[in-house]
Amino acid sequence: MILIHVDIKYLRVNKELIIRSHSSVVDFALLKDGKLIELNKEVEDNKFSVGDIYVSKIRKAVPGLNAAFVNVGHEKDGFLHYHDLGPKLPSLAKYIKQISTGKNKDYLLKQFRYESDIEKDGNIESILLPKQTVLVQVVKEPISTKGPRLSSEISLAGRYMVLMPFSDRVSISQKIEDRAEKNRLKKLVKSIRPNGFGLIIRTVAEGQKVAALDADIQQLLTRWKNLSAKLKQIDKYPTKVLSEINRSSSILRDIFDDSFTGIHVDDAEIQTEIKDYLETIAPEKKSIVKLYEN
């Protein structure tokens, strides 16, 4: 018999995130074992981030495009296609009206009565009218001469979960390949899913215990409640009612795991943002955030 000893430290994948800030641009470089595998760039003066949610007014519907143009405060109106309305738009519209007028104070949808879903392939002018109030989320940032792409199918992304109001569906990332783990996660999440909300289980949820998953859900419910509370205070349109977390935290939320060995930043403010975010998701990893001053 031949015994071969393999030092486990050489099998571990090391990940590092390099964040470089200069003028109005921030670069995010993800390294795995010293090799660049992903590069992101953010222009800091872009005031419309994917995930931002607004209470807005329909400016006009365009039957030829089967879409509506929505004023969200950008120089170019946002674009809302019929297929991005989401089947639960009537229920969402009812909820907005009830909350804004004080008729409904239950932000958690426990007693909410749903309206009928819209048709899958209907016409925009039969659903939306000029000056109608809508809740919309940025799904694509404005570029060049185009305004932001919008959706009324609202979702809130957390560390392990994506929360979807007015849904009862539980789905799971296809990147989790182990069938037993998929079944375990689905069973767990179905047992803690709040009524009135659907959930998507993200890739980084793999291997997590029920306490971590539930804590993530509770944090997302708090964001939904904060959004709903703002609906009662709207005095002008458009109004942003929920901001996506800053870009640094957003990238960490999507890629961070225990294999990270270093996060190197050349901006003290961004360093603070990252440490604050890690405090909420992985406090034991705060020490890997280093300020690069050369």
Side-chain angles (χ1 to χ4, degrees), residues 15-29:
K15 291 181 186 175
E16 294 178 284
L17 185 64
I18 312 296
I19 303 176
R20 179 178 62 180
S21 176
H22 52 97
S23 63
S24 62
V25 176
V26 181
D27 296 319
F28 300 87

Side-chain angles (χ1 to χ4, degrees), residues 58-70 78-86 89 118-130 132 134 136 149-152:
I58 299 296
R59 194 169 67 80
K60 66 176 180 179
V62 183
L65 297 174
N66 206 18
F69 287 101
V70 184
F79 184 80
L80 178 62
H81 193 273
Y82 183 92
H83 290 150
D84 293 321
L85 295 178
L89 181 71
I118 64 173
E119 295 179 17
K120 185 177 180 181
D121 295 304
N123 299 311
I124 196 83
E125 69 270 25
S126 66
I127 301 296
L128 297 177
L129 299 172
Q132 181 176 335
V134 289
V136 291
R149 181 77 181 252
L150 306 173
S151 172
S152 282

Side-chain angles (χ1 to χ4, degrees), residues 5-21:
H5 173 72
V6 179
D7 194 330
I8 196 69
K9 72 180 180 180
Y10 293 112
L11 299 179
R12 185 180 301 148
V13 174
N14 293 318
K15 291 181 186 175
E16 294 178 284
L17 185 64
I18 312 296
I19 303 176
R20 179 178 62 180
S21 176

Side-chain angles (χ1 to χ4, degrees), residues 53 55 99-100 107 223-235 239-243:
I53 299 175
V55 174
I99 294 296
S100 59
Y107 300 155
R223 296 186 75 202
W224 172 253
K225 287 189 284 187
N226 291 341
L227 178 162
S228 299
K230 288 183 180 179
L231 295 176
K232 297 190 298 185
Q233 306 162 4
I234 302 298
D235 56 7
T239 294
K240 186 190 290 188
V241 291
L242 189 72
S243 295

Side-chain angles (χ1 to χ4, degrees), residues 240-269:
K240 186 190 290 188
V241 291
L242 189 72
S243 295
E244 175 59 291
I245 58 178
N246 61 66
R247 182 63 168 161
S248 305
S249 299
S250 175
I251 285 182
L252 280 177
R253 180 191 64 199
D254 294 340
I255 67 173
F256 187 82
D257 58 34
D258 290 340
S259 66
F260 270 76
T261 56
I263 300 174
H264 306 279
V265 191
D266 67 351
D267 182 280
E269 185 175 341

Side-chain angles (χ1 to χ4, degrees), residues 26-293:
V26 181
D27 296 319
F28 300 87
L30 178 61
L31 279 63
K32 185 180 289 186
D33 288 335
K35 294 181 180 179
L36 179 67
I37 61 169
E38 190 174 327
L39 181 65
N40 289 281
K41 186 182 293 288
E42 180 194 36
V43 179
E44 289 184 312
D45 60 2
N46 192 346
K47 297 179 181 178
F48 296 83
S49 298
V50 170
D52 287 349
I53 299 175
Y54 293 82
V55 174
S56 309
K57 295 282 189 180
I58 299 296
R59 194 169 67 80
K60 66 176 180 179
V62 183
L65 297 174
N66 206 18
F69 287 101
V70 184
N71 174 21
V72 290
H74 190 264
E75 57 182 332
K76 297 289 184 180
D77 286 336
F79 184 80
L80 178 62
H81 193 273
Y82 183 92
H83 290 150
D84 293 321
L85 295 178
K88 299 295 184 183
L89 181 71
S91 296
L92 176 61
K94 176 182 176 180
Y95 178 79
I96 294 170
K97 185 174 182 180
Q98 288 184 349
I99 294 296
S100 59
T101 57
K103 291 182 179 179
N104 185 349
K105 298 179 182 179
D106 177 22
Y107 300 155
L108 295 183
L109 309 177
K110 290 179 181 178
Q111 306 299 325
F112 184 78
R113 297 184 65 178
Y114 290 87
E115 298 295 300
S116 298
D117 292 358
I118 64 173
E119 295 179 17
K120 185 177 180 181
D121 295 304
N123 299 311
I124 196 83
E125 69 270 25
S126 66
I127 301 296
L128 297 177
L129 299 172
K131 297 185 179 180
Q132 181 176 335
T133 301
V134 289
L135 193 67
V136 291
Q137 186 166 30
V138 176
V139 294
K140 190 174 182 180
E141 294 170 355
I143 54 171
S144 185
T145 59
K146 295 182 178 180
R149 181 77 181 252
L150 306 173
S151 172
S152 282
E153 201 160 16
I154 306 300
S155 64
L156 281 66
R159 175 81 176 116
Y160 304 118
M161 301 284 167
V162 177
L163 185 77
M164 300 174 296
F166 309 101
S167 173
D168 59 4
R169 183 166 55 96
V170 173
S171 56
I172 189 165
S173 168
Q174 294 301 312
K175 292 182 180 179
I176 300 178
E177 297 177 350
D178 184 270
R179 187 179 297 276
E181 176 63 2
K182 276 190 171 185
N183 292 337
R184 183 190 75 88
L185 284 171
K186 268 202 166 185
K187 185 176 180 180
L188 275 182
V189 171
K190 284 181 178 179
S191 71
I192 58 176
R193 180 186 68 83
N195 290 335
F197 296 87
L199 292 163
I200 300 173
I201 305 167
R202 307 187 70 184
T203 308
V204 290
E206 190 168 9
Q208 294 298 320
K209 302 286 196 300
V210 66
L213 302 177
D214 188 56
D216 199 45
I217 293 172
Q218 296 308 314
Q219 190 176 53
L220 290 170
L221 287 174
T222 297
R223 296 186 75 202
W224 172 253
K225 287 189 284 187
N226 291 341
L227 178 162
S228 299
K230 288 183 180 179
L231 295 176
K232 297 190 298 185
Q233 306 162 4
I234 302 298
D235 56 7
K236 64 185 178 73
Y237 298 90
T239 294
K240 186 190 290 188
V241 291
L242 189 72
S243 295
E244 175 59 291
I245 58 178
N246 61 66
R247 182 63 168 161
S248 305
S249 299
S250 175
I251 285 182
L252 280 177
R253 180 191 64 199
D254 294 340
I255 67 173
F256 187 82
D257 58 34
D258 290 340
S259 66
F260 270 76
T261 56
I263 300 174
H264 306 279
V265 191
D266 67 351
D267 182 280
E269 185 175 341
I270 295 177
Q271 182 195 27
T272 301
E273 288 177 358
I274 291 173
K275 283 195 169 187
D276 288 346
Y277 184 65
L278 285 181
E279 181 68 46
T280 67
I281 66 166
E284 72 283 358
K285 285 283 189 177
K286 284 174 59 180
S287 61
I288 71 171
V289 185
K290 307 291 185 184
L291 183 64
Y292 181 80
E293 300 180 284

